[in-house]
Amino acid sequence: MPSTNDWINNPLGVVEEMFGASQNSSDSGWEAKVTEFFRQRLMEKDAHTWVPSLNDVPLHYLKPNSLVKFRCLIQDMFDPEFYMGAYDTVDPSTKAKVLRCGKYKDVTECGVDLDSANMVTSERQTFYCVPIPGESPWVKESYASTCQARVVPSTSYVPSRQKRSYEDDDEDDMDTQPQAQGHAHNGTPAAAEAQGNGDSKRQETEAPSGQKASSPPLDLNFPLPGEKGPACLVKVYADWDSFKLNDTMEVYGILSVSPALSALSDQSDTSSSLILDPAECMETAEELRVHSPPASLVPRLHLIHTQRLAHNNPLLPPAALEDSAASLASTLGEMVSVRAELLAYFTQLLLGDVLAAEYLLLHLISNVYARRDVIPLGKFTLNLSGCPATAGPAYTEQLYCALQQLVPSAYRLSMTLQNMNQLRLVPRKDYVANRLLSGALQLAANTSLYLDETQLEQGQLDPAGVRNITALGNVISWQKVDYDFNYHQMEFPSNINVLIASEGRSLLPSDCHVHLQPQVTPPNMEAYLGSALTAQSSSQLNKFRLYLTMARTLDYSISEEVTKAVEDDFVDMRKDDPQSISADDLHSLLGVARLLCLSLGQSALSTDAWSRAKHIETLRKSRSEPQGCLNGNEP
Amino acid sequence: MSSPMSTPGGKRGRPSNPSTRNEAATSPPAQRRRGQPSSNGDLPLMPTSPPTDMPDPLQDTSLFSSPPHLHHFLPSEVDMSSPLMYGTPSSRVDGTPRSGARGTPARQRPDLGSVRKSKQVDLQSEPSAADGAAAAEQPAGQRLVIWGTDVNVATCKEKFQRFLQRFIDPSSKEDENSCLDLNEPLYMQKLEEISIVGDPVLNINCGHVSSFDAELYRQLVCYPQEVIPTFDMAVNELFFERFPDSILEHQIQVRPYNALKTRNMRSLNPEDIDQLITISGMVIRTSQLIPEMQEAFFQCAVCAFSARVEVDRGRIAEPAVCRNCNTTHSLALIHNRSMFSDKQMVKIQESPEDMPAGQTPHTTVVYAHNDLVDKVQPGDRINITGIYRAVPMRVNPRQSNVKSVYKTHIDVIHFRKTDEKRLHGQDDENEQRLFTEARVQTLRELAAKPDVYDRLSSALAPSIYEHEDIKKGILLQLFGGTRKDFSQTGRGNFRAEVNILLCGDPGTSKSQLLQYVFNLVPRGQYTSGKGSSAVGLTAYIMKDPETRQTVLQTGALVLSDNGICCIDEFDKMSDSTRSVLHEVMEQQTLSIAKAGIICQLNARTSILAAANPVESQWNPKKTTIENIQLPHTLLSRFDLIFLMLDPQDEAYDRKLAHHLVSLYYQSEEQLEEENLDMAVLKDFIAYARSYIQPKLSEEAGQALIEAYVEMRKVGSGRGMVSAYPRQLESLIRLAEAHAKVRFSDKVETIDVEEAKRLHREALKQSATDPRTGFVDISILTTGMSATARKRKEEITAALKKMLQSRTKTPVMKFQQLFDDLRGQSETAITKDQFEEALKALCDEDYLTISGKTIRLAT
């Protein structure tokens, strides 16, 4: 069996060994064996931390054809592709035929015999994956610090080199070929080329070569503006129907950065006489750019193992919570005390308003846990009105920073008129390039979307702006985003925690509206919040982070007796004054009660929690009444 | 694998040489120059030729790619043994001379001519080719199969001819067969049609082939590239035997469609390569026309000797030496005389209905050839039958390693637009086939249950509590009535769609109901009255930024043709937008006159609207019209108007609370069950809509008449009209829909009973006059109840009487007069009523109003 280093550094060797063995023994299950082998290896204690991650390590430090991992979101799904699963190669000198395996590779060996009867065509699926949008800095750091992979810059890395001509490349290939011993076939030259491309890419404005000169730098299509990190084309070999758009996962796969993959490189070489290749005109230039971007910029990853991320909190084991429930039992016991601390922290942030702090806490652990026909259950959009405007954007910004420190991923959308009119919120299909242009609403589950409505001023919304506002409204009311496919729309369910900070009641609908009643008026808002932020030790913050993720994933039920009590309560309330509580009110009351229970670490509704929920709801309503809305619009 | 070569046949793609065209199209001499019966010319692939025709052993290898028996007819301009002869000689238009009327030129079929030519090389190099050659030497030719397949040409041909001559499909429902005699062989009638119309294309339904001869069908699907030319040959032989005198533009081409192999783009896999497949999808992009060279024309610069070379695998082997004068490198390509064929790239995308949730649609590249070019436009829903291809991609022509990925595309043989049929009001064949036998069985079982109606209505939006009648109404709306066509009598289409309006207090889950319906029906649209303009509802003209072409972009109403358009906040819609609905809701069409485009689009959509009362809370003291402030002209177009009010009753409250609480703790599995129901419901509705077309039975007709007369009587007793023909039409539609729920082909009395009940319930809610408590249809039809009108007349009369009594003061103050009138009358008069009365008198020219003063007219 290959040694530890081998399965990380040269996974293709493992694959080929198993492929070879299967040919002799006519055992067809080699593909299952490969995935099982890697799964077993990764299961071993801490083994996964030895695999370098594309998220932390710059691409040019990684060895081509080695095993890497990537924490990502599926942004787009390309068409399935057919590849040579197995093929014969013919040595031109000896005429000897060798059967090769094409799985987990992009490029074949030299001398493919296209007419061989041994050729097996197989199918695989390509996903365009981007790093999880809005991932908080603390999550990134935490993951990076746990990763124990020693990253050694590849041998041919020469940082001083800027860019090279095509001829240089060829020579380099010649030079390095004999040295490429340990790695599979063209490993080292590929690295060199990747390096070359990578360097030139970073200076694309300098127009490295003909084709690239004319085209703008490739848009990596991240959902949120200002995101960094590699995008990746993940090739999936099995079970691709189980993946869904916007799924988050950690992918373990074989990194492929062969320069031959870059579509642009081979465009200029079609000069040989009178070739009317039917494949040439099939795709537009844009489409080629998008579907075959330079491998140095968008590496290919041949997936061997995936780990679905139920949450993206590095402090918790990534597996589903049930498995590790025992180890977390202690945390569960602490929930009540952590809750109290967190509540105190929020109260401080919200200028001494305990009620608002309580609702903020409930909001942060909300999660769409089910859908009844069209109604998403468990969503809890909070509208925090009365944000002090005198302090300018400082207050809402600082509040966002504080939240970002607690949740795994968050995004602050400043609802300025300009943003509303110009930003692309809803993903749209670009038929020319044949890809899904991402939008800010293409977010992973449980991302906190922080809408800053204090930034909105009077003015004209153009049609795009109206569409954006409608899209936000849809996310809040139905937790769905209608992706624009030009000829039709397609509905994708979302699970986004929307928090709206506004001065008056928001123009967007919300499940719950709390008007902030500051108890303290610090003279210098910035300094006040700043000190509140820095006062929290990192271990304290980690406790909060753990608490929020835990509370969100707890189970919940309502016993028969409590159901009865709730019913009675409802009937009684209606008896006194039918106007006082409607079906919708009961809905939101039940929602609040559920979140309240979860926040206390209880998994069943108690009558205490019920009356507490009723109490805070009454308090909240009494606040918003004086400025309640009278326009008769349904929320 | 099979033989290779681009097919044969005369190439008439786009003859750029005028003389060629003339020859081909008109002059019989040209036709006479064909060798052999024309059908053979079409069949280069077939090794049918008697061995005696074989010119020399050297030709053995090319045997399968070119019909050797033609060789001795060939003009001498090409040396038979030269490598240039690699192409199919038969493909010349000016082929060999022959006599007889059957010399219709064959037309090349680039759709079959494959990219698979790489295999050709094999044929020559691999020893296995010798087997084929050996087989070919058997004089009988019977055991001969095409290399790489199990197709024997002679048998296949015979079978297909038998199919054409014998196939009868008495149960045919297809529109195109409507004028044919169903008891005669179907395809012989089609051939006759071809001889009359002169369109040399024969569309063959693969379903027919498979029911006639499963083996033939299997061969067709597995080896389309070999079998279709055989079919061509067979059909041409048959055709010219039967209609020897007909002149066609080119030989008949067989276009199979509806291969059942694959229906969904997602299910295409490597096994489908080179097979005949049918998939459905939506066109998203079409390329410009690509002229593809089929045959290059070379001329020697020295002696003007000309040579033709076929394009092979996208390459032209340029002759290095002129065979006439032996000059080297003297031949130049003459573009004008080369032969091109049309080609177009079409991109199709999975239809949204076929997609699993949470995934993005797949796309596929499709090549259309010759007359199929420009047959489809972006946005069209189509069914494509064609051959699935995969081509390896070369990374770099100078390098020998290949990207291990194939490019795939489909060569189209047949396009069928699915939305075109909707124009004729035909059922979507596509949708029909979605149901498996087992599914139909379950649906029928469900329909046979006596309580199916209640079951379905309770399965509708289970999360919304109660409102049984509203759900029943919506259920009937989902099924719709039977479509009737009265265009012959000048009435046009009769509306079959049921329109429903929900009004009521905010927060009574109207929006949720709308959302549910929108998610349930395949062609539903959801729009909010606040957010939509008339343009967004109807259609607008857009300039395509790329092509500068003016395009008609359709809005929600047109998009939901044959579906349901859900309009929330109906009351907040602007008047101009609402006015659009008048036409849609009765005529079911939409007229557009904009940017030089004048057209009438179909918008046979049911409308489900929700409206809020003007004063945020429903005022039970006012009529529906007063509460929602919608014009009665529009309201009368709704079949059912429901009020969704908060019932305020203890038992109800309790049940509601229980219902809501249960939402919060039911487990995932229980939720799953509900979802299953939704799928069944969807199928049930789709099935009923496409298969069940109930007709009124005698008794039901009587019952309807009685019901209508009864409704009229109710009103006439109190001096008002309580029903109009529109209400009768509504009743009919509802009764038909109810019959559909039962999967019954006949509308019976029970259907009428339920329609009557539901209609009455809805009226009771919406058309009850709050002053009298009677149901008064005129509230909805004229906007005012009969009692209100009577009251208005009374006040007017009283006012007039009062004014007449004091003619001496022709000018008076408004407020004073109002007070006087109030003092006089024994019942309370509101200011509104007073104003109305004044206005009525003003209309009579009895007085004039200027500001706050009233002047009597003299």
Side-chain angles (χ1 to χ4, degrees):
Chain A
M1 269 296 163
S3 73
T4 322
N5 254 340
D6 267 5
W7 68 267
I8 293 180
N9 287 332
N10 185 16
L12 280 175
V14 178
V15 173
E16 259 151 30
E17 195 175 298
M18 290 189 178
F19 175 73
S22 76
Q23 294 309 310
N24 300 331
S25 64
S26 76
D27 169 17
S28 57
W30 72 275
E31 291 172 317
K33 264 194 211 150
V34 170
T35 43
E36 184 56 28
F37 171 81
F38 282 101
R39 208 178 61 80
Q40 292 288 349
R41 282 282 174 282
L42 290 166
M43 287 278 284
E44 281 167 26
K45 194 173 176 301
D46 287 343
H48 62 269
T49 60
W50 292 99
V51 181
S53 166
L54 264 179
N55 296 81
D56 327 316
V57 186
L59 184 57
H60 54 268
Y61 281 173
L62 292 170
K63 258 188 222 134
N65 299 315
S66 65
L67 191 71
V68 295
K69 60 181 176 187
F70 184 42
R71 202 168 59 253
C72 59
L73 167 126
I74 301 176
Q75 191 272 323
D76 195 1
M77 293 165 148
F78 291 160
D79 294 331
E81 60 186 25
F82 294 172
Y83 69 100
M84 297 173 199
Y87 56 93
D88 273 336
T89 50
V90 185
D91 190 309
S93 51
T94 62
K95 299 270 178 240
K97 284 194 178 185
V98 186
L99 187 66
R100 309 268 190 168
C101 162
K103 210 176 171 185
Y104 306 119
K105 283 181 212 163
D106 282 308
V107 181
T108 60
E109 317 272 324
C110 292
V112 176
D113 178 9
L114 285 173
D115 307 311
S116 156
N118 288 329
M119 179 113 72
V120 179
T121 307
S122 315
E123 189 179 6
R124 66 185 175 205
Q125 174 73 268
T126 308
F127 296 142
Y128 187 85
C129 296
V130 296
I132 294 171
E135 197 175 65
S136 305
W138 68 268
V139 176
K140 287 190 169 62
E141 280 160 25
S142 174
Y143 273 120
S145 65
T146 50
C147 188
Q148 305 175 39
R150 298 149 301 163
V151 176
V152 190
S154 51
T155 45
S156 64
Y157 177 57
V158 185
S160 60
R161 185 149 54 185
Q162 290 295 310
K163 85 184 177 191
R164 300 175 303 173
S165 69
Y166 193 82
E167 289 73 30
D168 285 343
D169 264 352
D170 279 351
E171 280 161 25
D172 273 11
D173 278 5
M174 294 302 164
D175 293 342
T176 48
Q177 198 74 53
Q179 297 161 16
Q181 309 132 343
H183 313 308
H185 53 290
N186 52 358
T188 316
E193 173 64 36
Q195 182 43 42
N197 268 0
D199 276 345
S200 60
K201 193 44 88 180
R202 263 166 252 134
Q203 307 171 358
E204 202 159 35
T205 40
E206 286 178 26
S209 69
Q211 192 68 28
K212 285 173 191 164
S214 55
S215 45
L218 192 72
D219 170 19
L220 283 181
N221 210 7
F222 292 132
L224 300 176
E227 290 266 306
K228 278 199 212 69
C232 202
L233 279 170
V234 176
K235 312 264 178 181
V236 184
Y237 287 83
D239 207 18
W240 49 77
D241 284 341
S242 65
F243 293 90
K244 293 212 158 44
L245 201 71
N246 304 342
D247 273 359
T248 51
M249 55 187 184
E250 189 151 51
V251 178
Y252 293 86
I254 299 171
L255 181 72
S256 162
V257 285
S258 168
L261 296 169
S262 158
L264 302 170
S265 63
D266 61 346
Q267 292 236 319
S268 49
D269 308 349
T270 44
S271 50
S272 18
S273 65
L274 288 173
I275 291 182
L276 302 171
D277 184 358
E280 284 298 308
C281 46
M282 232 186 249
E283 284 164 335
T284 59
E286 289 98 309
E287 196 170 342
L288 276 174
R289 270 173 66 81
V290 166
H291 286 254
S292 319
S296 52
L297 201 60
V298 181
R300 316 298 195 262
L301 206 58
H302 295 269
L303 180 140
I304 290 187
H305 177 70
T306 37
Q307 175 95 59
R308 305 298 176 97
L309 296 176
H311 59 83
N312 189 25
N313 191 336
L315 304 171
L316 277 168
L321 281 175
E322 295 88 65
D323 306 342
S324 44
S327 64
L328 292 165
S330 59
T331 339
L332 214 56
E334 279 175 22
M335 277 185 90
V336 179
S337 64
V338 180
R339 183 192 139 97
E341 288 166 34
L342 188 56
L343 200 61
Y345 176 46
F346 281 161
T347 313
Q348 200 182 356
L349 287 178
L350 295 172
L351 309 173
D353 188 338
V354 186
L355 186 70
E358 179 116 30
Y359 273 100
L360 181 61
L361 196 147
L362 298 186
H363 162 76
L364 286 177
I365 61 168
S366 69
N367 172 39
V368 177
Y369 65 97
R371 283 170 196 270
R372 285 294 288 241
D373 33 82
V374 292
I375 308 163
L377 294 174
K379 73 187 173 84
F380 195 71
T381 304
L382 180 65
N383 174 15
L384 208 58
S385 70
C387 293
T390 42
Y395 180 73
T396 49
E397 253 176 48
Q398 296 260 15
L399 189 59
Y400 170 70
C401 289
L403 296 181
Q404 201 187 18
Q405 283 196 348
L406 296 175
V407 295
S409 45
Y411 176 60
R412 171 170 177 262
L413 176 62
S414 167
M415 285 177 69
T416 58
L417 210 52
Q418 195 195 8
N419 267 348
M420 283 293 103
N421 281 337
Q422 291 173 0
L423 224 57
R424 188 174 58 232
L425 291 186
V426 175
R428 182 170 63 82
K429 177 84 177 183
D430 175 0
Y431 283 112
V432 178
N434 195 14
R435 69 163 162 185
L436 190 65
L437 285 177
S438 194
L441 287 181
Q442 190 174 14
L443 296 174
N446 290 326
T447 304
S448 285
L449 178 65
Y450 184 89
L451 299 175
D452 191 349
E453 207 187 280
T454 56
Q455 309 284 303
L456 192 61
E457 62 278 1
Q458 288 190 358
Q460 175 80 42
L461 270 185
D462 60 23
V466 174
R467 267 199 300 277
N468 279 341
I469 297 275
T470 318
L472 284 177
N474 273 338
V475 168
I476 293 168
S477 310
W478 309 109
Q479 285 289 349
K480 62 166 192 181
V481 182
D482 289 316
Y483 289 17
D484 181 3
F485 279 78
N486 195 359
Y487 304 101
H488 60 96
Q489 295 192 329
M490 223 148 67
E491 186 183 307
F492 284 88
S494 61
N495 187 357
I496 303 173
N497 291 9
V498 187
L499 175 65
I500 311 164
S502 59
E503 282 173 66
R505 193 192 164 100
S506 167
L507 69 108
L508 292 166
S510 60
D511 296 311
C512 168
H513 167 222
V514 183
H515 192 78
L516 202 60
Q517 284 180 348
Q519 306 296 313
V520 286
T521 41
N524 185 346
M525 189 72 81
E526 225 161 311
Y528 172 80
L529 286 171
S531 64
L533 280 180
T534 47
Q536 300 298 324
S537 68
S538 68
S539 66
Q540 188 70 6
L541 282 176
N542 276 350
K543 250 203 265 173
F544 291 161
R545 291 162 184 165
L546 201 57
Y547 165 79
L548 289 176
T549 314
M550 287 282 294
R552 171 175 283 160
T553 36
L554 284 179
D555 275 339
Y556 178 70
S557 65
I558 304 176
S559 65
E560 282 296 321
E561 304 93 82
V562 182
T563 308
K564 188 86 187 64
V566 170
E567 281 170 38
D568 289 340
D569 212 18
F570 181 67
V571 174
D572 286 345
M573 282 188 281
R574 297 267 296 178
K575 223 184 257 166
D576 301 342
D577 176 11
Q579 297 297 325
S580 67
I581 182 164
S582 70
D584 275 352
D585 293 331
L586 182 61
H587 244 304
S588 53
L589 200 52
L590 283 164
V592 170
R594 173 178 172 271
L595 292 172
L596 207 57
C597 280
L598 296 184
S599 77
L600 291 163
Q602 304 168 349
S603 59
L605 180 65
S606 60
T607 36
D608 283 353
W610 173 250
S611 36
R612 170 111 185 93
K614 262 170 60 185
H615 175 67
I616 61 171
E617 276 290 277
T618 324
L619 279 180
R620 180 179 72 84
K621 281 205 178 128
S622 66
R623 266 194 203 187
S624 43
E625 237 150 50
Q627 44 168 347
C629 79
L630 293 167
N631 57 7
N633 285 348
E634 277 180 67
Chain B
M1 284 314 268
S2 92
S3 68
M5 268 336 237
S6 68
T7 44
K11 253 162 225 196
R12 300 195 46 257
R14 324 184 85 202
S16 38
N17 179 350
S19 72
T20 318
R21 189 187 310 135
N22 290 344
E23 269 178 316
T26 54
S27 77
Q31 297 178 359
R32 283 220 216 88
R33 291 168 65 205
R34 312 270 315 153
Q36 290 295 311
S38 53
S39 45
N40 289 337
D42 204 11
L43 217 75
L45 308 173
M46 305 308 157
T48 51
S49 53
T52 47
D53 276 354
M54 253 176 286
D56 60 53
L58 281 179
Q59 283 291 317
D60 274 5
T61 46
S62 62
L63 169 65
F64 307 112
S65 47
S66 58
H69 53 273
L70 283 184
H71 293 182
H72 49 206
F73 292 111
L74 281 171
S76 57
E77 60 189 46
V78 186
D79 178 8
M80 292 309 302
S81 58
S82 117
L84 297 181
M85 263 318 297
Y86 194 46
T88 53
S90 61
S91 57
R92 304 272 135 61
V93 178
D94 47 357
T96 46
R98 63 159 261 116
S99 55
R102 299 197 215 161
T104 312
R107 181 175 194 172
Q108 209 217 3
R109 298 198 64 163
D111 46 351
L112 301 175
S114 85
V115 196
R116 223 173 27 162
K117 286 172 192 157
S118 50
K119 290 290 173 198
Q120 212 170 348
V121 186
D122 281 352
L123 200 58
Q124 290 175 328
S125 62
E126 297 224 356
S128 60
D131 303 346
E137 274 157 33
Q138 298 180 358
Q142 280 300 316
R143 266 166 287 160
L144 204 69
V145 292
I146 300 177
W147 189 81
T149 73
D150 60 358
V151 179
N152 177 291
V153 175
T155 330
C156 178
K157 207 162 99 178
E158 199 180 302
K159 275 180 171 176
F160 186 63
Q161 285 182 343
R162 201 163 52 219
F163 165 74
L164 291 178
Q165 284 166 326
R166 309 233 180 107
F167 182 77
I168 298 170
D169 183 15
S171 60
S172 165
K173 279 199 201 112
E174 284 173 64
D175 43 342
E176 58 220 60
N177 300 346
S178 51
C179 52
L180 302 177
D181 184 347
L182 293 180
N183 298 316
E184 292 290 310
L186 175 71
Y187 289 103
M188 291 316 281
Q189 297 181 62
K190 291 214 172 169
L191 284 182
E192 200 174 330
E193 213 175 86
I194 292 175
S195 77
I196 297 164
V197 181
D199 181 19
V201 170
L202 180 66
N203 295 325
I204 303 275
N205 187 337
C206 294
H208 294 165
V209 179
S210 101
S211 66
F212 187 81
D213 185 339
E215 173 65 14
L216 189 63
Y217 169 73
R218 188 192 60 78
Q219 288 186 340
L220 171 63
V221 167
C222 294
Y223 313 109
Q225 196 170 326
E226 290 79 28
V227 173
I228 294 175
T230 315
F231 281 10
D232 278 355
M233 178 161 75
V235 79
N236 279 302
E237 266 176 26
L238 201 66
F239 181 78
F240 287 107
E241 206 169 278
R242 196 161 279 229
F243 311 102
D245 300 328
S246 47
I247 295 167
L248 296 179
E249 199 192 338
H250 57 83
Q251 292 191 6
I252 296 174
Q253 298 191 339
V254 172
R255 302 232 168 107
Y257 66 93
N258 189 21
L260 295 173
K261 178 105 179 87
T262 309
R263 298 228 49 102
N264 187 338
M265 209 181 288
R266 205 161 274 268
S267 52
L268 286 178
N269 63 47
E271 271 122 64
D272 294 320
I273 291 174
D274 286 328
Q275 305 216 330
L276 191 71
I277 51 163
T278 298
I279 57 169
S280 60
M282 191 173 66
V283 180
I284 52 170
R285 204 151 56 87
T286 55
S287 76
Q288 306 232 309
L289 190 145
I290 307 163
E292 193 179 43
M293 189 179 279
Q294 293 295 336
E295 191 180 69
F297 186 95
F298 289 98
Q299 197 166 39
C300 176
V302 178
C303 63
F305 175 81
S306 61
R308 290 164 191 271
V309 180
E310 280 236 353
V311 175
D312 170 37
R313 278 176 282 164
R315 266 168 215 267
I316 299 164
E318 186 181 349
V321 184
C322 170
R323 276 181 299 109
N324 196 32
C325 59
N326 279 329
T327 323
T328 48
H329 301 298
S330 64
L331 290 162
L333 180 71
I334 312 291
H335 279 276
N336 284 356
R337 300 189 62 185
S338 298
M339 217 68 77
F340 293 91
S341 73
D342 292 350
K343 179 170 141 180
Q344 186 180 33
M345 188 201 80
V346 178
K347 266 219 149 147
I348 58 168
Q349 180 186 285
E350 256 176 305
S351 352
E353 299 90 63
D354 292 345
M355 297 206 18
Q359 311 226 329
T360 58
H362 287 175
T363 56
T364 303
V365 175
V366 163
Y367 283 119
H369 301 273
N370 286 336
D371 53 339
L372 290 177
V373 164
D374 271 344
K375 275 279 155 66
V376 291
Q377 295 290 319
D380 285 348
R381 302 276 177 101
I382 51 171
N383 276 347
I384 289 181
T385 305
I387 305 176
Y388 196 39
R389 310 278 194 194
V391 201
M393 286 201 292
R394 217 161 264 277
V395 170
N396 183 330
R398 283 190 282 160
Q399 287 167 4
S400 53
N401 57 340
V402 206
K403 231 176 185 173
S404 61
V405 178
Y406 295 92
K407 289 216 167 191
T408 52
H409 71 265
I410 299 171
D411 278 320
V412 193
I413 291 175
H414 189 277
F415 274 135
R416 190 182 184 85
K417 286 194 200 179
T418 41
D419 27 6
E420 202 168 53
K421 271 177 288 159
R422 286 202 285 142
L423 274 178
H424 308 302
Q426 284 280 331
D427 294 320
D428 212 347
E429 208 180 310
N430 212 8
E431 282 168 26
Q432 290 187 11
R433 235 179 243 105
L434 287 174
F435 304 107
T436 59
E437 292 280 322
R439 193 67 167 179
V440 171
Q441 193 58 36
T442 26
L443 294 182
R444 290 211 163 265
E445 269 167 25
L446 181 59
K449 291 195 171 121
D451 59 343
V452 56
Y453 181 53
D454 292 301
R455 269 168 187 261
L456 291 184
S457 70
S458 57
L460 200 71
S463 65
I464 296 158
Y465 188 63
E466 282 281 356
H467 299 299
E468 283 306 315
D469 281 332
I470 296 177
K471 285 187 184 175
K472 282 179 177 166
I474 290 175
L475 186 71
L476 295 187
Q477 175 181 40
L478 289 170
F479 284 89
T482 313
R483 194 159 284 153
K484 313 164 195 75
D485 190 358
F486 288 103
S487 44
Q488 261 135 13
T489 52
R491 165 91 205 255
N493 271 327
F494 201 83
R495 168 157 73 94
E497 281 72 20
V498 177
N499 298 324
I500 294 183
L501 175 68
L502 308 175
C503 18
D505 293 337
T508 41
S509 49
K510 296 191 294 292
S511 301
Q512 281 168 27
L513 208 50
L514 258 59
Q515 276 283 344
Y516 183 88
V517 170
F518 159 65
N519 279 305
L520 187 69
V521 292
R523 226 172 266 134
Q525 289 290 320
Y526 184 94
T527 153
S528 163
K530 231 196 306 191
S532 52
S533 61
V535 167
L537 276 183
T538 57
Y540 59 102
I541 312 294
M542 213 184 72
K543 268 241 165 78
D544 189 313
E546 259 176 70
T547 58
R548 310 300 304 149
Q549 213 173 3
T550 337
V551 205
L552 195 65
Q553 286 279 339
T554 43
L557 284 173
V558 181
L559 284 176
S560 57
D561 186 24
N562 269 347
I564 291 187
C565 188
C566 303
I567 307 178
D568 206 354
E569 307 196 52
F570 196 64
D571 49 312
K572 301 206 175 47
M573 213 173 244
S574 73
D575 288 343
S576 63
T577 314
R578 241 183 258 142
S579 66
V580 171
L581 289 169
H582 280 114
E583 185 189 352
V584 173
M585 290 178 68
E586 206 57 60
Q587 272 69 48
Q588 306 274 287
T589 56
L590 201 79
S591 308
I592 290 165
K594 230 182 233 156
I597 295 181
I598 298 170
C599 61
Q600 206 172 38
L601 299 170
N602 272 329
R604 290 157 308 184
T605 166
S606 308
I607 292 189
L608 176 62
N612 288 324
V614 177
E615 316 163 13
S616 80
Q617 204 72 28
W618 190 267
N619 185 345
K621 296 197 182 63
K622 288 185 166 179
T623 62
T624 311
I625 297 267
E626 287 161 339
N627 260 315
I628 54 176
Q629 297 278 320
L630 283 175
H632 56 85
T633 46
L634 203 53
L635 282 190
S636 65
R637 285 173 160 82
F638 284 101
D639 298 83
L640 297 171
I641 299 177
F642 287 108
L643 293 191
M644 279 181 100
L645 298 179
D646 215 344
Q648 303 181 356
D649 149 43
E650 190 182 320
Y652 172 86
D653 289 347
R654 183 170 297 277
K655 276 190 276 174
L656 175 70
H658 185 81
H659 182 78
L660 287 180
V661 175
S662 68
L663 277 185
Y664 279 82
Y665 68 85
Q666 262 181 1
S667 62
E668 291 282 337
E669 295 89 68
Q670 281 165 299
L671 294 174
E672 284 298 306
E673 275 168 38
E674 305 275 352
N675 286 338
L676 243 167
D677 267 350
M678 190 156 164
V680 172
L681 186 62
K682 254 183 184 169
D683 280 3
F684 194 94
I685 292 168
Y687 186 86
R689 278 182 77 102
S690 46
Y691 283 104
I692 316 287
Q693 301 298 333
K695 294 221 160 44
L696 285 180
S697 67
E698 193 60 38
E699 306 91 74
Q702 279 304 323
L704 281 167
I705 294 170
E706 271 166 35
Y708 181 60
V709 170
E710 202 177 294
M711 279 162 74
R712 298 272 296 182
K713 257 193 209 146
V714 170
S716 62
R718 298 195 301 274
M720 51 195 184
V721 183
S722 54
Y724 290 91
R726 253 193 195 147
Q727 271 72 46
L728 178 58
E729 287 176 15
S730 291
L731 277 185
I732 296 173
R733 275 191 288 270
L734 292 172
E736 283 167 349
H738 189 260
K740 276 191 186 177
V741 175
R742 299 186 297 118
F743 278 14
S744 159
D745 283 334
K746 253 194 198 147
V747 181
E748 292 172 41
T749 13
I750 48 164
D751 302 319
V752 180
E753 285 305 316
E754 173 58 21
K756 250 167 71 182
R757 188 195 67 80
L758 204 60
H759 195 256
R760 201 173 49 230
E761 282 303 316
L763 271 186
K764 215 192 273 172
Q765 294 182 5
S766 58
T768 303
D769 187 342
R771 291 179 191 84
T772 59
F774 286 117
V775 173
D776 184 355
I777 191 69
S778 54
I779 291 177
L780 298 180
T781 51
T782 64
M784 192 179 267
S785 68
T787 42
R789 187 172 309 112
K790 214 158 138 202
R791 178 94 185 109
K792 182 180 152 193
E793 277 159 19
E794 280 167 13
I795 295 171
T796 315
L799 181 63
K800 195 170 177 180
K801 210 166 140 200
M802 195 175 85
L803 289 173
Q804 273 165 347
S805 66
R806 38 169 134 170
T807 35
K808 32 198 173 337
T809 49
V811 181
M812 55 210 105
K813 287 270 187 298
F814 176 91
Q815 191 58 40
Q816 191 197 348
L817 191 65
F818 180 42
D819 292 340
D820 286 356
L821 186 66
R822 281 234 281 223
Q824 219 176 42
S825 165
E826 56 268 35
T827 54
I829 297 172
T830 66
K831 198 166 173 181
D832 288 345
Q833 284 169 328
F834 176 65
E835 271 170 1
E836 265 179 44
L838 274 181
K839 209 160 161 277
L841 288 177
C842 186
D843 289 345
E844 282 175 37
D845 278 342
Y846 188 74
L847 49 79
T848 53
I849 309 166
S850 48
K852 287 279 166 206
T853 52
I854 292 146
R855 191 181 302 269
L856 285 186
T858 46

